[in-house]
Amino acid sequence: MVQQAASHVTKKGLYINGAWVQEENQEFHESLNPATEQVVGYYAAATSAQVDHAVESAKSAFKLWKNTTLPERAQFLWRAAQVFEEKKEHLAQTMTKEMGKVLAESLGEVGVVVETCKYMAGEGRRLFGETVSSGASNRQIMMVREPIGVVACITPWNFPVALAGYKILAALISGNTVVWKPASEVALSAQIFTEVFHEIGLPKGVLNLVTGAGSKVGAQLAEHKDVKVISFTGSTEVGIKLSETAAKTLKRVSLELGGKNAVIVLKDANLDLAAEAIVKAAFTTTGQRCTAASRVIVERDVKDELLQRVVAITKNLKVGNGLQSGVDIGPLINKHQLETVEKYVAIAVQEGAVIECGGKRLLSEQGYFYEPTVLSNVKKGDAVAQEEIFGPVLAFIEVDHFEEAVEVNNDTVYGLSTSLFTNSLHYANRGAKEIESGLVYINNGTSNAELGVAFGGTKHSGNGHREVSHHAFDVMTEWKSIYTTY
Ligand code: NAP
């Protein structure tokens, strides 16, 4: 619903060129709490002129920021880490109110941002170049990494600040300036994130925040001639669209996209360990993680034993408002996503799946709650085995042996994260080699990324770039080769 700016509620507007700005008749939209359906606050819908202004400010700030020394840039990140720590509770509460994940998860996510600030501050000291022996005796050759210019960061709602941190901090430490377009659902969390950089005195124009519909604001950034890099996390559909648009102005585009992640369980595995990990990977963040486990591919001999364990743990999960203690699973992000989950479960049943637990929305509650759901008797070609649902739905698929398990795992368009539970050194190593995913976990859930380790997917889960580690600098910098003859 569209609201006008005149209201008693503080409306922060957009952050452009070091200040919070809004036009006289700025259009504002509601940010809704998915647990209560109440309004949490309002965010501005940036106009086309405001998006241009944000890019202009970032372009102009680039001249100064790229010449700011690395240790000085790092100092800003260290200070930001401290302020994020101070604002942890407020930011986490806002995240839980805006997108529903339980408070402990939100607090953990702010913790990730704190650590990313420190990591990138340190990693920036290692933006090393290379020297090469010249064919001429009087020539010195060196290759240096240089920042590229204005980076547009476009981020989803499921990790409102961690994913933004991976991109924005990598861009800033390497000397680029940023225009950030967060997901509309978490615009208020993005405001608090941005406020941290205002408080620490980041030079004006180095970080800008523009909110509003992705199809307008995000699309404009993808078209803009002065945006040099797009760093995007979100759906495969939007990622492809962005790439097509960005190609016209030869932008560099880094895409982190969807997944259809599986846990493979072989008959020699520790089933207790596997069951715990499966439930955590499937239902944390209400299954709304790009790395969430949505398929269990299990050897037939142990299917019943594993299923029994998984269902028992799942039935103990408490669904509710993420701000309340004791709650394990929050709501889905919005009504549309709730309906998507309902639709997929209905299709699964039509295709022959059996609902082992869950399978319906919680009608007694306000908000977009759906029971964590385990399905058995799913076949590898079924819709729930192929398409990203992004909700608390886990499908069991039975196979006869390791080779079939790997084949089923690889038989989707995605390739983000796969776990393999086995006690066999042979199958662990073959799995690591034969599984077509950017992330492979042996005896671990699918959602266990660590800072400093390259993160990203193969096939339709991305376009080959990586973040969360120093590999992000391959996106955020370009090489210059310098020949000096003396
Ligand atoms: P989404 O619909 O693709 O949106 C992502 C971002 O793109 C939002 O900021 C959105 O703005 C913006 N956007 C939408 N349409 C656009 C357009 N035409 N041009 C430019 N920008 C546009 O994804 P989501 O629903 O927020 O997030 C869920 C998806 O993200 C899932 O597929 C999940 O797997 C993926 N994901 C991937 C990773 C990873 O690292 N691989 C991590 C997390 C999530 P609005 O909010 O205003 O629409």
Side-chain angles (χ1 to χ4, degrees):
M1 190 185 298
V2 176
Q3 300 278 325
Q4 291 307 310
S7 158
H8 63 283
V9 183
T10 310
K11 291 174 173 170
K12 267 187 122 58
L14 310 163
Y15 188 73
I16 299 176
N17 206 27
W20 290 99
V21 296
Q22 56 182 282
E23 289 175 353
E24 206 180 323
N25 289 317
Q26 186 85 49
E27 193 176 298
F28 280 84
H29 294 249
E30 294 173 348
S31 174
L32 285 186
N33 183 334
T36 61
E37 299 174 46
Q38 303 295 308
V39 175
V40 185
Y42 300 89
Y43 65 90
T47 61
S48 169
Q50 287 172 318
V51 175
D52 281 344
H53 184 202
V55 176
E56 253 170 56
S57 305
K59 187 181 174 191
S60 157
F62 179 61
K63 292 177 203 135
L64 173 90
W65 186 245
K66 72 173 178 186
N67 290 319
T68 304
T69 65
L70 257 163
E72 281 175 283
R73 286 184 221 146
Q75 278 305 321
F76 284 104
L77 268 55
W78 285 111
R79 291 214 290 278
Q82 201 182 339
V83 180
F84 274 117
E85 196 71 72
E86 289 159 16
K87 288 187 188 292
K88 197 179 211 168
E89 189 66 35
H90 173 48
L91 177 51
Q93 292 259 349
T94 306
M95 284 160 58
T96 294
K97 284 182 196 156
E98 274 197 302
M99 62 71 65
K101 66 171 71 173
V102 298
L103 188 58
E105 278 185 56
S106 295
L107 287 165
E109 188 177 336
V110 183
V112 169
V113 177
V114 171
E115 291 309 309
T116 309
C117 285
K118 295 176 188 169
Y119 170 75
M120 283 297 172
E123 197 60 74
R125 291 276 189 152
R126 305 200 304 162
L127 268 171
F128 297 138
E130 293 175 24
T131 57
V132 176
S133 289
S134 169
S137 61
N138 62 338
R139 185 184 277 171
Q140 175 73 36
I141 303 175
M142 60 179 181
M143 301 189 294
V144 294
R145 281 184 184 275
E146 292 205 328
I148 304 175
V150 178
V151 177
C153 297
I154 304 180
T155 53
W157 46 264
N158 64 335
F159 283 91
V161 293
L163 299 177
Y166 295 150
K167 296 174 185 312
I168 292 170
L169 299 167
L172 294 183
I173 195 69
S174 27
N176 302 289
T177 54
V178 171
V179 178
W180 178 24
K181 187 347 236 165
S184 300
E185 274 93 349
V186 292
L188 305 180
S189 304
Q191 289 175 359
I192 300 171
F193 182 107
T194 306
E195 185 63 28
V196 168
F197 290 89
H198 183 70
E199 279 186 28
I200 63 164
L202 191 73
K204 65 182 188 177
V206 173
L207 172 63
N208 304 273
L209 174 73
V210 287
T211 49
S215 55
K216 288 188 182 159
V217 177
Q220 189 179 341
L221 290 171
E223 279 166 16
H224 205 295
K225 67 176 177 32
D226 290 329
V227 170
K228 301 297 176 194
V229 179
I230 303 262
S231 181
F232 172 80
T233 297
S235 62
T236 299
E237 187 193 345
V238 173
I240 290 171
K241 233 186 254 175
L242 275 175
S243 298
E244 286 168 357
T245 309
K248 292 181 194 144
T249 43
L250 294 179
K251 290 179 184 30
R252 187 176 295 194
V253 180
S254 166
L255 303 174
E256 298 290 346
L257 308 173
K260 191 68 204 171
N261 314 294
V263 179
I264 298 173
V265 182
L266 301 185
K267 60 187 171 203
D268 70 341
N270 178 332
L271 297 185
D272 289 322
L273 187 74
E276 286 287 347
I278 287 167
V279 173
K280 198 166 168 217
F283 301 123
T284 307
T285 325
T286 323
Q288 301 169 117
R289 286 184 171 204
C290 55
T291 53
S294 61
R295 297 181 294 160
V296 174
I297 303 168
V298 57
E299 276 193 292
R300 214 174 294 285
D301 294 1
V302 292
K303 178 239 150 186
D304 286 340
E305 277 180 83
L306 182 69
L307 183 62
Q308 208 177 29
R309 284 169 168 81
V310 166
V311 169
I313 304 170
T314 304
K315 280 183 170 168
N316 273 332
L317 295 174
K318 187 170 176 213
V319 181
N321 186 329
L323 288 178
Q324 287 163 7
S325 65
V327 167
D328 302 298
I329 312 273
L332 286 149
I333 184 70
N334 53 34
K335 190 158 178 269
H336 174 72
Q337 197 52 29
L338 180 64
E339 287 166 358
T340 300
V341 171
E342 283 182 315
K343 181 191 83 181
Y344 271 107
V345 172
I347 293 172
V349 171
Q350 270 169 24
E351 290 185 324
V354 175
I355 296 174
E356 300 286 346
C357 65
K360 54 185 187 306
R361 60 183 295 187
L362 297 181
L363 291 169
S364 55
E365 305 266 1
Q366 241 183 344
Y368 312 121
F369 296 99
Y370 196 89
E371 294 176 335
T373 298
V374 180
L375 305 172
S376 65
N377 203 35
V378 173
K379 295 169 293 305
K380 68 172 183 176
D382 290 354
V384 280
Q386 289 291 327
E387 293 164 33
E388 186 183 48
I389 302 172
F390 228 53
V393 181
L394 180 66
F396 267 66
I397 304 168
E398 292 168 53
V399 291
D400 286 322
H401 43 68
F402 168 81
E403 287 77 12
E404 190 186 353
V406 171
E407 187 204 314
V408 171
N409 175 74
N410 293 347
D411 182 32
T412 78
V413 295
Y414 297 108
L416 186 53
S417 181
T418 302
S419 297
L420 170 61
F421 281 82
T422 179
N423 280 316
S424 154
L425 192 61
H426 173 80
Y427 287 126
N429 280 288
R430 277 189 60 192
K433 197 170 167 185
E434 294 173 30
I435 286 167
E436 293 173 355
S437 295
L439 307 166
V440 176
Y441 297 94
I442 310 293
N443 293 324
N444 235 298
T446 50
S447 248
N448 275 276
E450 288 199 29
L451 198 54
V453 183
F455 183 92
T458 60
K459 304 196 292 192
H460 282 200
S461 292
N463 64 345
H465 291 295
R466 295 291 181 265
E467 56 188 19
V468 188
S469 61
H470 66 84
H471 302 89
F473 299 139
D474 295 337
V475 174
M476 300 297 176
T477 63
E478 59 192 352
W479 287 101
K480 180 183 274 177
S481 300
I482 303 167
Y483 294 74
T484 307
T485 303
Y486 53 91

